[in-house]
Amino acid sequence: MSFDFHAEPSQADDFIPGAAPAAAQADSGFEKLGLAPEILKSIRHAGYPAPTDVQARAVPVALTGADLLVSSQTGSGKTAAFVWPALQRILTARLDPAKKRAKGQPSGPRVLVLAPTRELALQVSRACTQYGYGVQGLRVAHVVGGVPYHAQLKALRSPLDVLIATPGRLLDLMNTGAAVLAQVELLVLDEADRMLDMGFIDDITTIAQALPTQRQTLMFSATFAGNVGGLARELTREPQRIAVDTHTDTHTQIEQRLHWADSLHHKHALLEQLLADRAVEQAVVFTSTQRDADELAWKLGEIGHSVAALHGGMPQGRRNRVLQGLRQRQLRVLVATDVAARGIDVPTISHVINYGLPMKAEDYVHRIGRTGRAGASGLAVTLVTKSDARLVADIEKLIKRSLERVVIEGFEQSAVAKPRPEQPPRGARKPQGQGKAQPKTQTPKSGKRTGRPQQHHTGSRHR
């Protein structure tokens, strides 16, 4: 599937995982989950050594057909915990003569996954095609906002097994009669708490009412308190509850540090020093606003970093290309807002840097989860000034630990001189947010180009 063509159905062989290590061919614990051989084959190809905790606990229960409420940390393998049972349900339905589909007629998906953001929907779509590699003729599509309706209508008219959607765009398509959901057997709500935070509760309720009452529902959420718990009671029947971990015991594989800064200039000097470290394989730098993301990406590009901004004000096609550049390692630094915090799954991200703090302490947990994926180690660094003291206290209260205070020699507080005000080069336009004036790729002194190809924003000089 082209990353610029969101809604086209994807054949499972569009993503072919590499050969598995020899160790993964042996009994690794996946065989005990009860999954079909076609799915196990794809898991072995992906090379995963053993099921994660959430997978080991949630998959067998999901395969029984029971409704599930699952709390699990970011990066724990929760996407696979619902994708594998979804694929199993498709295989089982194909063997049932009563569920045979008429040829040439749109029948709608058997599995519907709702996700809060376009990035997360794309991540789930990739997981379906990857793990469904051995499922013959698997058809997967995703419909999200920010892309033309034409491609999405084409996808919905084709035979479908799995549909991944953001609630707002799916409801739009339902209102036109384009989305056929009468054969949905499994509904998955991924990051349900985030969807409610974004105001999707009415959309989700309306979508659920259009689905068959005899269905299985799986909900994944950081919490099931408040409105999320109310929605769970409305959508599920006698659900089983699985809580893998909480904020107090998550991210043990991620080293968390804090650097105090006297000023914004001091903070930027610290950031430059951190990114100069060769140990940084790839880094995600989080800012508080879209404008900050654009401006910081511009500044980092000016000093030679292969960098791009990612935020909700950018056109969807550009966001897709930025993420593709990150996965293909054409970018070393991504400057992002929280729109990306729950949708980026790139195992080579070694560092997360909080340049601007999130408004909610819970988002700190999701941000740092972009590193240390699938049990790997990672480093999360938070840069703060005195005005951030309350937010730091909220974060430490949530995670029930103090962030390690670290001082970099030569970059102590009051040790960095204040510079003259920075101005863009003459004739250059500084980005103003909302996806405008995206920079081009910079050529370092060596003459070797870094970052994305020209169609892609990498934070260098404007023309």
Side-chain angles (χ1 to χ4, degrees):
M1 179 194 297
S2 167
F3 285 104
D4 290 337
F5 202 53
H6 255 269
E8 275 294 308
S10 301
Q11 292 291 351
D13 58 0
D14 285 347
F15 293 90
I16 302 177
Q25 303 295 338
D27 186 351
S28 56
F30 290 108
E31 289 78 2
K32 299 176 183 178
L33 298 180
L35 294 167
E38 296 93 327
I39 303 171
L40 290 174
K41 180 181 178 181
S42 296
I43 295 172
R44 293 191 187 100
H45 270 288
Y48 296 114
T52 65
D53 193 10
V54 66
Q55 293 164 2
R57 295 176 60 184
V59 171
V61 179
L63 292 178
T64 68
D67 287 357
L68 267 180
L69 307 179
V70 182
S71 296
S72 177
Q73 73 177 71
T74 299
S76 63
K78 66 176 179 62
T79 301
F82 64 77
V83 167
W84 296 342
L87 295 173
Q88 183 100 337
R89 179 172 283 275
I90 291 166
L91 290 170
T92 302
R94 289 180 178 182
L95 298 175
D96 187 346
K99 295 180 180 179
K100 188 175 181 180
R101 294 176 164 181
K103 292 185 178 180
Q105 295 183 9
S107 51
R110 299 188 192 276
V111 176
L112 173 63
V113 181
L114 297 180
T117 66
R118 291 171 280 191
E119 284 72 27
L120 188 57
L122 183 58
Q123 176 185 323
V124 174
S125 180
R126 287 197 312 273
C128 288
T129 50
Q130 180 186 32
Y131 295 124
Y133 172 62
V135 179
Q136 186 175 4
L138 180 70
R139 303 290 291 186
V140 179
H142 46 287
V143 294
V144 298
V147 296
Y149 280 90
H150 173 74
Q152 299 177 346
L153 293 172
K154 181 180 178 182
L156 294 173
R157 285 194 294 266
S158 303
L160 272 181
D161 293 302
V162 183
L163 177 64
I164 304 104
T166 50
R169 178 50 64 94
L170 179 59
L171 190 58
D172 288 345
L173 293 167
M174 289 171 59
N175 290 335
T176 66
V180 179
L181 303 177
Q183 294 192 24
V184 171
E185 300 177 23
L186 171 61
L187 170 65
V188 179
L189 276 68
D190 192 12
E191 300 196 358
D193 57 321
R194 181 69 166 175
M195 285 193 280
L196 266 61
D197 285 345
M198 297 171 69
F200 285 131
I201 185 167
D202 291 338
D203 291 354
I204 294 170
T205 300
T206 302
I207 292 168
Q209 289 173 347
L211 304 180
T213 55
Q214 297 299 314
R215 67 170 191 274
Q216 182 183 15
T217 301
L218 309 180
M219 289 183 65
F220 289 74
S221 178
T223 177
F224 284 95
N227 289 336
V228 184
L231 183 65
R233 289 188 291 273
E234 181 180 342
L235 300 185
T236 62
R237 295 170 299 172
E238 300 181 357
Q240 296 199 36
R241 183 78 166 86
I242 295 177
V244 174
D245 45 36
T246 66
H247 293 305
T248 61
D249 56 8
T250 62
H251 299 318
T252 55
Q253 77 281 15
I254 300 174
E255 182 182 353
Q256 300 177 51
R257 299 177 185 170
L258 183 145
H259 295 282
W260 284 102
D262 290 320
S263 63
L264 289 177
H265 169 64
H266 187 190
K267 182 190 285 190
H268 191 78
L270 285 167
L271 175 63
E272 289 186 14
Q273 179 67 15
L274 291 168
L275 293 178
D277 188 347
R278 292 188 177 183
V280 178
E281 192 169 0
Q282 286 183 300
V284 178
V285 180
F286 281 103
T287 62
S288 301
T289 68
Q290 295 177 3
R291 179 168 181 165
D292 287 348
D294 283 325
E295 291 184 349
L296 186 58
W298 181 84
K299 290 179 180 178
L300 293 175
E302 284 291 290
I303 60 175
H305 288 288
S306 53
V307 57
L310 181 70
H311 57 70
M314 296 167 57
Q316 183 60 36
R318 184 176 294 279
R319 289 166 68 175
N320 294 344
R321 291 191 292 272
V322 167
L323 288 172
Q324 188 176 18
L326 187 68
R327 294 187 188 97
Q328 294 177 351
R329 306 187 71 174
Q330 295 168 320
L331 290 173
R332 183 169 177 263
V333 182
L334 180 71
V335 184
T337 58
D338 284 311
V339 70
R342 302 193 184 196
I344 299 175
D345 185 10
V346 180
T348 49
I349 294 173
S350 57
H351 290 61
V352 166
I353 301 173
N354 290 302
Y355 186 83
L357 264 63
M359 295 304 296
K360 295 173 58 179
E362 291 83 359
D363 285 335
Y364 168 84
V365 177
H366 292 289
R367 283 184 177 191
I368 70 172
R370 296 311 99 198
T371 187
R373 307 293 286 181
S377 60
L379 175 62
V381 180
T382 300
L383 307 178
V384 295
T385 60
K386 289 182 179 180
S387 63
D388 298 315
R390 182 185 60 81
L391 291 173
V392 172
D394 290 343
I395 290 169
E396 292 180 329
K397 180 179 179 181
L398 177 71
I399 64 176
K400 296 186 178 180
R401 58 177 287 188
S402 295
L403 298 176
E404 181 186 4
R405 273 62 171 170
V406 176
V407 175
I408 300 176
E409 185 177 356
F411 291 84
E412 301 87 351
Q413 287 179 275
S414 302
V416 180
K418 187 176 181 179
R420 295 170 59 185
E422 294 185 33
Q423 295 294 333
R426 195 168 189 179
R429 266 198 316 155
K430 216 172 178 183
Q432 297 299 316
Q434 302 302 315
K436 297 180 182 178
Q438 303 298 338
K440 298 178 183 178
T441 306
Q442 175 166 328
T443 303
K445 294 181 180 179
S446 64
K448 183 179 179 181
R449 291 181 66 85
T450 60
R452 280 289 289 164
Q454 288 185 355
Q455 77 269 23
H456 185 72
H457 160 196
T458 57
S460 155
R461 187 180 302 275
H462 296 273
R463 285 173 169 71

